Amino acid sequence: MHVASGNPLGAAHPRQEGPTDLRLVPPALAAWATAALTLDAPPEWVTGVAVVCVVVAGALLVTRRRGMRGEQDRRPGPGPNGGPEPEPRPRPEPNGGPDPEPRPRPEPNRGSQPQPQPQSQPQRGGRWRGLWHSWPRASVAGVLLCVAGAAASGGLHGADLRRGPVPELARQYAEVTAEVEVTSDPRLTRPRIRGDHAAPTAILLNAEVRRIEKPDGTVAETRTPVLLIVDASPRATREREGSPWLSLLPSTRVRVAARVVPALGGGDRIAAVLRVHGGGPPRVVGEPSGTQRFAGELRAGLRAATDGLEADPRALLPGLVVGDTSRITPELDEAFKATDLTHILAVSGTNFTILLALLIGPPGRAQQAERRGLAPRIGIPLRATALVGGALTLGFVIVCRPDPSVLRAAACGAIALLAIATGRRRSLIPALATAVLVLVLYDPWLARSYGFLLSVLATGALLTLAPRWSAALQRRGIPPRPAEALAAAGAAQAVCAPVVAVLSARVSLVAVPCNLLVEFAVAPATVLGFATLATASWAMPVAKALAWCASWPAGWIADIARAGAALPGGGVDWPGSWAGALLLACAIAVVVLVGRRLLRHPWLSGACGVLLVLVMVQPPPLTRVLTGWPPPGWRFAMCDVGQGDATVLAASDGTGVVVDAGPDPVLVDRCLRALGITRIPLVVLTHFHADHVAGLPGVLRGRSVGAIETTGFEEPLDQAEFVHRQAASQGVPVRRAVAGERRRTGALDWQVLWPPPRPAPGPEGPNDASVTLLVRSAGLTLLMLGDLEPPAQRALLRSPAGAGLGGVDVLKVAHHGSAYQDPDLIRRVAPRLAVISCGADNMYGHPAPSTLAALRAGGAEVLRTDEDGAVAVAGGGDRLLVARD
C-alpha cells in the first residue's frame, strides 16, 4: 500500500495510513522545555542559547546541502542490481551501456495496487538511503531552530515581569495609584479555614498596569502583568454575583489605589500583586472593546436563561459551554476534583469537538465523502468544511475569551479540521505537535501550565493509545461503541493521572467509571447549552426552554460527580511530588500489562472488577470485618478532621448525634460514611468558629437531620449566618441550647451544662460560650467541653452542674488541648481517657505539653487525632475499649 502511494510515509487516503510521522514531535518537545526554562533565565544566557542554536543549525544545513550535492555527483547509474533514476530525465550511463529499460517506468497512481517487479525493491532502498543520510541533519537543525525561537520568546516574555517600575515598587511595598486594563474574567477565591476563622473571600482579576503614579508623584507608562486582589463583600460571597467588580469585562480600564506587593511563586505571568484598598465599586476609565462587549452579552444571556434552573444545572451549564465557573460552589468543585471530571467545568477540546461534530459528523467519518453532520446535508464540499470550521473556531475563541485555556481548547479541536483539510488521518499527530509548537512560541507561559500539559497528554492519549486499546477490546468481543468509550476514558486517565497526583496528592479510583457514565450526557448538554447561548439574546423564552432541556443531562453529570466523590473508597492518598508521579506511572504501566493478560480470562477479569467495586464502595459490614472500624458496639467516635472538632455519639444502628462539624465538609462526610451514619436526630454546634461549623454541608449531605442546636452567642457573625443559610437550604430548624436541658435518643441521653441562659458576666468570646455536654450511653460517661477556656471552666465548676462532674470515663479536652486549661477542672473530672482533636503540625502547637502532662498526672490515657487518627470508644463500666482508624 505504501509503495503504491509513491510516498515513504503512505498515501493521502484516510484508510491508507502510513507510519506515524513523528518529525515534528522532537521540535515541539524541545521548544516546550526551552520555553519553561528560559522564562526566568538571565538575558545573557537566553541570548547565548539562541545564537549558538542558530549558528549550529546553519552549519548543519550547509553541510547537509553539500552532502546532498556530493551524493548526486557520486550516485551510480542503474546496473544489474540498480533501478532507474527518480529524476524525470535519466542521466546517461557512465559506462555507455544500454539502459535496462527503454523508458523510465511511470509512477503508479495513488491508491492502485503495486505490480511486483524485480527492480522495485532496490529503488526503494536507494530512496530510503537518501532519506537516512539527509534526515538526521535536517532534524537536528530544525530542533535547534525551534529551541532558538523558544529561547527568544521565553526570554522576552520573562523580561516583561522584570522591566518597568512595578517590580521595584513591589519590593518597596509602595502605595500607588494605577490605571490597569483587565485581561481576565473576575473570580472569587474559595473559602479557606485558618484556625478558628474563615479567611475573607476576595475577588481576583488578572490585569496589565498601563499607567502608574509613584509615591513621589511621578507618572510612568508601562505594560506589566499583575494580579488585582479586591476584598469581596459578604453579599458577593453569598451570591457569587453581587459585586460590581464581578461584572467587569476583559479590556476594561479601571483606576485603582492599591499597595504593590511581590508575587509569590514563579510559575505564573505575574510581576506583582496589587491589593486594592476598600471594597467600593471600581472607577472605570475605559470601556471594554466591542468584541468583549458582544461576548459579555452572550455570556450574560446564558446566565439569565439558566437562572430558573436547580442549583447544580444552573452552576454547571455556563461552565460547560463557555467556561464560566462563577456559580460553581466549593462542594460541587470538590466533587468534580475527586472524580477527575474537572475538564467538564472548563472549556476543553472535548467540548469544542462536540460542537464541530454538528458540522462534520462523527470523527470517524470526518474525512470521508459519505460523512454525516450539517455540512454534507447543506452541500458544503469536503475542503470547504474545514474553512467553515475555522470560522466556527474563531467565533468560539471570541465568545469564550482568548485566554490560554480557550486557546488550548481551540488548538486541540482544530486537529480535526487539519485532518479534513489535508485528507490524511496520519496528520493528526503532526497537527498536535504543530499546535504545541505554535502555542508555546506564541505564549511561552503555557510551557509551565499544568492545564496545558494535561490537555496535550489527554489529546495524545486519544490519538495514540485509545485506537489500539479499542481494537484490542473489540477483538475480545466487546461491542465497538463501548470499546471506544472505555478505551478513550482509560487512555486519558492512564496518561494524565500522574500529573493529577502531583496537583492533588490523591489518585481517583472512580475516574474512569464516572467519565464513562457522564460521557453520553456531555454531548446533549453541550449542544443544548450552545443553542441556549445562541438564542438567549433574541428569544429568551426559547433559550429558557432549551436551558431546561439541557438541565437534565447537566444534572446527571453533577449527580454522578457527587455520587463518585461520596464513595468511601473513591480515591487513595498519593505523594504529591514528581517522584510520586513517576511511581504512579510505573504502577499504571504494570496494571496495563497485567490487564492485557486478564482480558484473556473473562472470569478472572470479572472477579477483579467485583473486587475493585468493593474497594470503592466499601460496604460497612464488609469493611468492619476487614478493618475492624468502626468497632462493634461503639458509643463515641472522634473523627480525624484536621485542626477542628467533629464527634459522633451513637444512638442506634445508623443513627447518631453529631457534635461539631469540623473545618472540611469532605472529611466529616467521609467519617460519617465510614461509621455508617445515615440519620442524625440532632447536630450540636458548640460555637460558631469555622473549625467547628465549616464542615456542616458535609454533615447535611444525603442524611436525614432532625434539628441543629447552637450557642446563643452568635459570633463570628459571618459563620453564624453561614450556619443559618445551610440549615434553611435543607429545611432544618435551628434552636438554642441552654444549661439544664436534658434529652434522650435511643440508648443515648445527655445534659447541657453550659452556657447558662444569661451568663454573668458575659462571655469574653465565642470559646467561652461553647455548648458543654455531659453524655451517658450504656454505662459510659463522656464530658465534652467544646473550646471552653479557663474563665468559663472555673464558672462551670462553681455552677450547680459542677458538683456532678467527678470521675467521668472520657473527656473531650477543651480547645484542641491548648495550654489554656483550668487545673482544678482536670483534677475534678479525673478522666480515665482523654481525647484531643487537632491537626498534624498545626501552627498553634496543639496539644500543649503542659496540658498533656496534667492529664497524664491525673491517670488519664491520652489519644490525639494528629497521631492516632480517628478514635472510637466502646464498652462501659470498668471495661473501656478503644479502637483507632
Side-chain angles (χ1 to χ4, degrees), residues 86 90 95 215 379 428 476 489 534 650 656 713 760 776 788:
N95 297 326
L428 293 175
R476 287 165 173 81
F713 190 72
R776 294 179 177 86
L788 286 186

Side-chain angles (χ1 to χ4, degrees), residues 713-737:
F713 190 72
E714 296 194 348
E715 290 188 11
L717 183 59
D718 59 335
Q719 293 303 301
E721 292 178 348
F722 166 79
V723 169
H724 287 286
R725 286 197 308 272
Q726 291 294 324
S729 66
Q730 301 292 329
V732 179
V734 179
R735 299 195 293 258
R736 179 182 176 185

Side-chain angles (χ1 to χ4, degrees), residues 149-242:
S153 179
L156 291 174
H157 281 78
D160 287 341
L161 303 187
R162 299 186 291 269
R163 65 179 176 86
V166 174
E168 179 62 29
L169 292 171
R171 287 189 288 270
Q172 301 172 7
Y173 291 83
E175 300 283 348
V176 300
T177 300
E179 183 177 310
V180 301
E181 179 177 320
V182 178
T183 58
S184 73
D185 288 316
R187 56 198 184 275
L188 279 171
T189 59
R190 292 189 55 188
R192 292 174 296 168
I193 306 302
R194 292 182 177 177
D196 57 8
H197 67 281
T201 304
I203 301 172
L204 306 181
L205 302 95
N206 292 93
E208 284 186 348
V209 176
R210 295 302 184 90
R211 191 168 181 268
I212 189 168
E213 182 178 338
K214 301 179 183 179
D216 59 4
T218 59
V219 177
E221 302 286 339
T222 183
R223 190 165 184 170
T224 306
V226 296
L227 176 68
L228 292 183
I229 300 181
V230 184
D231 292 335
S233 64
R235 181 168 176 263
T237 303
R238 292 194 300 268
E239 302 179 7
R240 304 187 72 81
E241 296 177 353

